[in-house]
Amino acid sequence: MRKLYYTLGTVLLLSCGSAQMVDTKTAPAAGPEGVKGSVVEAAPEVKTTSTAKKGFTDADRVGDIMNYLASDDLKGRDSGSEGIEMAAKYIENYFKSYHVKPYFESYRDTLSNFKATSYNIVGIVEGSDPALKNEFILIGAHYDHIGTIAPENGDYIANGANDNASGTTTVMELARYFGTKKNNKRSLIFALFSAEEKGLLGSEHLAKKMKAQDLNLYAMLNFEMTGVPLQEKDYFVYITGYDNSNLAEVSNTYAKENMVGFLPTAKEYNLFQRSDNYPFHKEFGVPSHTYCTFDFTNFGHYHKVGDENELMDFPHMATFVNKMIPVLEGIANAATQEIKITTK
């Protein structure tokens, strides 16, 4: 998220990220075949853990994806780098294995606004309803990070576990669910953006491209820095631009709990404009929000080498995916477009 980071009362504008050193698993560059829960295996319908009972995903599966995306092998996933190319192949294989089709001729959407060759990875699960399938919901996250930086204690890789391997993993697991279940009436586009850290360039490129193609976009739901839980809140996650639509109310209705709340800091620092939801808001004027569990107090490694998997809460991440599934099912299958822009 192109958000604000502050220390000792000084407020600075930044992009996203943070990390720390940990032993990581290594998977082949072409995809996660070497990882437990490999995409080349049949995905189990339900796995259970003590923290995410009777859920679609669990902490082990989430951890396997994270341990690849935030591994040292990917060197911080800087846009245009060999590391992000490895991540792109991994996501492509994941989509293919779980029946998420390419949105364009291939999964790769080459950026037109960034000098180094970079790709968004874009897939689609077509809706099942003859009429509603022509309405699209875009579910996104950025999969790039800042690469290598000045070393701290000999570590120079900004692995970007929370920022934003966490959001990427969330989108990948949601894509796996809908790719295998095929129970969505509206069409779902799953987009992983490159060059967010360069100024939201990947999402800006895709938003303009889809607008030029006259896409009938209903809503854009983005996921950013979801790797650690909020503390001392009576809700599970907040959305940016809370007052811009009734998404929180709709989400909570389908979640059957107070899942989505309002974070005053998000409004104070205008986080609505600092992540990949914003270009779609600008181009389409539709409900476009980011779900996030980073609140400036619960994670201290933004754009540092300390943003590593050992600090991530995989049970929390699995729980979030499992909580989001009925929300997305409800939004995708409702007879009418329930999310409405708030009139001011």
Side-chain angles (χ1 to χ4, degrees):
M1 186 184 299
R2 288 185 60 80
K3 23 176 142 45
L4 303 168
Y5 186 81
Y6 61 92
T7 56
L8 302 177
T10 301
V11 180
L12 301 174
L13 296 180
L14 294 178
S15 291
C16 266
S18 51
Q20 182 171 7
M21 287 303 290
V22 62
D23 291 335
T24 57
K25 299 177 182 178
T26 300
E33 291 84 349
V35 178
K36 181 178 177 291
S38 163
V39 300
V40 297
E41 300 171 358
E45 283 296 306
V46 176
K47 294 177 71 177
T48 60
T49 68
S50 60
T51 54
K53 294 180 179 179
K54 297 182 180 179
F56 176 74
T57 193
D58 62 34
D60 289 340
R61 186 171 190 104
V62 164
D64 289 336
I65 300 171
M66 290 287 291
N67 283 334
Y68 184 84
L69 291 176
S71 67
D72 285 352
D73 289 348
L74 272 61
K75 295 290 192 297
R77 307 186 310 278
D78 195 10
S79 296
S81 70
E82 292 182 6
I84 200 170
E85 170 68 15
M86 293 168 68
K89 289 179 179 177
Y90 181 93
I91 297 166
E92 287 177 309
N93 285 350
Y94 208 84
F95 280 4
K96 183 177 180 180
S97 294
Y98 293 114
H99 316 295
V100 179
K101 296 181 179 180
Y103 180 77
F104 299 109
E105 291 185 2
S106 74
Y107 291 108
R108 300 194 176 202
D109 168 44
T110 305
L111 271 58
S112 59
N113 55 356
F114 187 59
K115 184 176 181 179
T117 301
S118 300
Y119 313 94
N120 298 322
I121 306 299
V122 190
I124 184 170
V125 178
E126 186 177 12
S128 61
D129 185 271
L132 293 179
K133 72 178 183 180
N134 297 312
E135 300 176 8
F136 294 83
I137 300 168
L138 196 150
I139 300 165
H142 75 90
Y143 74 110
D144 68 309
H145 194 53
I146 60 173
T148 57
I149 59 176
E152 296 179 24
N153 299 319
D155 183 8
Y156 61 94
I157 300 174
N159 298 74
N162 200 25
D163 182 17
N164 189 34
S166 64
T168 299
T169 298
T170 299
V171 171
M172 289 173 66
E173 283 295 81
L174 292 171
R176 178 171 72 92
Y177 178 84
F178 287 101
T180 54
K181 297 292 184 179
K182 306 291 187 185
N183 61 354
N184 50 295
K185 293 182 180 180
R186 290 182 173 84
S187 294
L188 303 177
I189 298 171
F190 296 93
L192 284 310
F193 304 111
S194 187
E196 187 269 0
E197 301 289 3
K198 310 300 183 182
L200 310 181
L201 297 184
S203 53
E204 178 184 79
H205 161 86
L206 186 60
K208 289 182 177 180
K209 184 173 182 177
M210 288 180 162
K211 182 64 175 179
Q213 295 175 345
D214 200 26
L215 179 75
N216 184 18
L217 185 64
Y218 166 27
M220 193 285 181
L221 308 178
N222 191 53
F223 294 87
E224 178 83 66
M225 296 183 76
T226 59
V228 294
L230 296 167
Q231 303 295 324
E232 300 181 353
K233 303 290 193 300
D234 63 355
Y235 51 87
F236 191 87
V237 63
Y238 69 88
I239 57 170
T240 63
Y242 183 93
D243 296 327
N244 291 358
S245 80
N246 65 337
L247 176 62
E249 178 185 351
V250 171
S251 297
N252 291 340
T253 296
Y254 288 121
K256 298 182 179 179
E257 63 177 280
N258 187 37
M259 182 178 126
V260 179
F262 170 67
L263 182 72
T265 307
K267 184 173 183 179
E268 179 184 355
Y269 293 157
N270 196 18
L271 300 190
F272 179 69
Q273 295 186 13
R274 305 192 188 285
S275 194
D276 291 307
N277 59 287
Y278 189 59
F280 293 91
H281 164 77
K282 287 195 301 181
E283 292 297 326
F284 289 92
V286 300
S288 306
H289 300 266
T290 293
Y291 291 86
C292 185
T293 63
F294 167 77
D295 69 354
F296 298 94
T297 69
N298 61 347
F299 190 74
H301 299 271
Y302 180 85
H303 280 192
K304 298 179 181 179
V305 298
D307 183 7
E308 299 220 35
N309 277 324
E310 68 178 18
L311 298 184
M312 298 299 98
D313 189 328
F314 298 151
H316 155 76
M317 292 179 61
T319 298
F320 182 38
V321 172
N322 292 334
K323 285 177 180 288
M324 280 303 305
I325 286 171
V327 173
L328 292 179
E329 282 180 331
I331 294 170
N333 295 328
T336 60
Q337 294 188 359
E338 299 172 310
I339 309 171
K340 305 291 185 182
I341 295 289
T342 302
T343 303
K344 299 180 181 180

